[in-house]
Amino acid sequence: MAPKSSSAAAATAHSFNKLLNQPRYSSKSRGNEIDDGTKRLRRMILVEGIPSTDPTLRPRIWKILLRVNEIPTDTYLHYVARGPCEVREKIRNDTFRTLATDRGFKERVREDMLVRLLDAFVWRNHDRAEDQLGFSYVQGMNVLAAPFLYTMPSEIEAFFCFAKFIEEACPLYVQPTLDGVHRGLKLLDRCLQFVDPELYAHLRSKNLSAEIYAFPAVLTLCACTPPLDQVLKLWDFLLAFGVHLNVLCVIAQLLLMRDDLMASSSPMRLLRTFPPLEALPVVGIAVTLVRDLPADLYDELVRHPFEIQNPL
């Protein structure tokens, strides 16, 4: 492999620093500057990854990145004590399928834990009238909860991390219309057309838009693509830098299978089930894509999980 040119290396470094220093973005706080500790965590995640030698590190780092500072046990028990929520049947229709082929997940996370957490989340938001956005249970929320239950030492910690994540990082992904998901899919098409017009044109020639082939990957932030250990590494990156980057991570997966897609007369056969996730190359490609996108398109990408669009 030929060495990178100095200009390409400089561009990659610029992309790297752009991510390290980008402000926090969420539905609650727009553009807050980040502290040095968060910058160090971001650098570690990008350069080294979270060490696997200490199993307590990932849950601690996720709580720092999500700014989950309090775990009020009594509050969670209060929600649980209210019993089944009004959409319990809808929850149970999904929970038994959650990461059903992952033996490690099934051994660590029982279905009743997932049901309880989702019930509690619905109750948490049941009486909240002050927020512009309300929350109930929607499709895909079971899969978004799964990594938290698997990673956190307790169900209660998983609940508060999940709630903070949903309510602040990607609230538009869990509205009844899945508005954020559909916007993410449209942005995926636009970003792919910009970074690889040839691949985009090939897929479109087969009537394939992101809505058709990438819906599960965008809806679940790639948590539906095994193996789970790689999903957790990808989520380290998304929690550190923003869930908007999942769109670029899906594009990265397309680029990793580009040759096969371009050679196929029926690329949907390949896209029906994405290849096993490999977090390191996916993140590496996503970081380079950050530098390539126009500033206005990237800004729209950043804001799509949480910023409500004003109707024209």
Side-chain angles (χ1 to χ4, degrees):
M1 181 181 293
K4 287 184 179 180
S5 68
S6 58
S7 60
T12 301
H14 172 74
S15 174
F16 183 88
N17 288 323
K18 178 180 177 180
L19 282 175
L20 284 180
N21 296 300
Q22 75 176 14
R24 292 181 182 273
Y25 290 102
S26 74
S27 65
K28 300 291 185 183
S29 55
R30 311 294 172 83
N32 286 352
E33 293 301 317
I34 61 169
D35 55 51
D36 289 340
T38 301
K39 285 184 182 180
R40 287 195 294 270
L41 285 178
R42 285 178 165 183
R43 180 175 290 277
M44 180 187 72
I45 288 167
L46 267 186
V47 176
E48 307 167 19
I50 297 176
S52 58
T53 51
D54 183 352
T56 70
L57 273 180
R58 176 170 282 122
R60 286 156 54 196
I61 289 172
W62 281 19
K63 282 187 282 189
I64 291 170
L65 294 172
L66 290 165
R67 290 172 290 178
V68 173
N69 302 315
E70 297 180 355
I71 310 290
T73 301
D74 290 349
T75 301
Y76 181 67
L77 295 178
H78 169 72
Y79 298 142
V80 171
R82 296 176 75 166
C85 71
E86 58 193 11
V87 290
R88 162 65 77 83
E89 184 176 351
K90 188 176 180 182
I91 290 171
R92 288 297 302 272
N93 283 341
D94 290 341
T95 50
F96 76 93
R97 292 192 292 257
T98 306
L99 305 188
T101 61
D102 191 292
R103 180 178 297 179
F105 176 79
K106 288 297 185 183
E107 289 175 352
R108 186 178 299 187
V109 180
R110 301 187 312 275
E111 185 185 1
D112 64 288
M113 297 165 63
L114 191 54
V115 171
R116 235 184 345 261
L117 182 148
L118 294 169
D119 265 338
F121 181 74
V122 174
W123 284 125
R124 170 184 169 90
N125 289 280
H126 187 267
D127 302 320
R128 289 188 171 189
E130 73 276 9
D131 290 342
Q132 189 172 5
L133 292 171
F135 299 94
S136 185
Y137 176 79
V138 298
Q139 175 189 9
M141 203 179 274
N142 57 311
V143 183
L144 293 176
F148 293 107
L149 280 167
Y150 185 83
T151 298
M152 291 297 151
S154 71
E155 183 180 319
I156 295 171
E157 288 166 277
F159 170 78
F160 285 103
C161 288
F162 169 76
K164 188 77 172 285
F165 175 69
I166 290 294
E167 292 164 6
E168 296 193 9
C170 55
L172 295 185
Y173 271 53
V174 294
Q175 295 306 300
T177 58
L178 303 179
D179 182 52
V181 176
H182 293 297
R183 283 165 63 183
L185 290 162
K186 289 182 174 66
L187 283 162
L188 196 158
D189 276 330
R190 289 169 58 194
C191 292
L192 180 61
Q193 184 177 21
F194 187 86
V195 301
D196 194 333
E198 187 181 10
L199 177 57
Y200 172 80
H202 177 62
L203 294 177
R204 293 298 293 172
S205 74
K206 307 300 181 183
N207 296 317
L208 291 178
S209 66
E211 284 273 1
I212 294 172
Y213 64 80
F215 181 82
V218 173
L219 174 72
T220 67
L221 305 178
C222 290
C224 64
T225 306
L228 183 55
D229 68 310
Q230 296 298 303
V231 170
L232 299 181
K233 291 179 180 179
L234 184 66
W235 274 41
D236 295 340
F237 173 65
L238 298 179
L239 292 178
F241 297 100
V243 299
H244 63 282
L245 291 166
N246 180 60
V247 169
L248 300 185
C249 290
V250 177
I251 291 176
Q253 292 172 76
L254 297 178
L255 296 179
L256 287 169
M257 55 193 300
R258 184 184 192 279
D259 291 346
D260 291 337
L261 290 171
M262 291 298 297
S264 175
S265 59
S266 301
M268 189 59 197
R269 292 180 182 176
L270 301 172
L271 293 169
R272 193 166 285 115
T273 303
F274 276 35
L277 184 64
E278 295 182 74
L280 186 61
V282 165
V283 168
I285 294 171
V287 170
T288 65
L289 295 178
V290 169
R291 78 165 186 233
D292 295 334
L293 293 179
D296 58 342
L297 179 55
Y298 183 71
D299 185 65
E300 192 174 345
L301 186 66
V302 166
R303 297 176 184 278
H304 86 274
F306 60 82
E307 187 166 276
I308 298 173
Q309 289 181 323
N310 293 321
L312 297 177

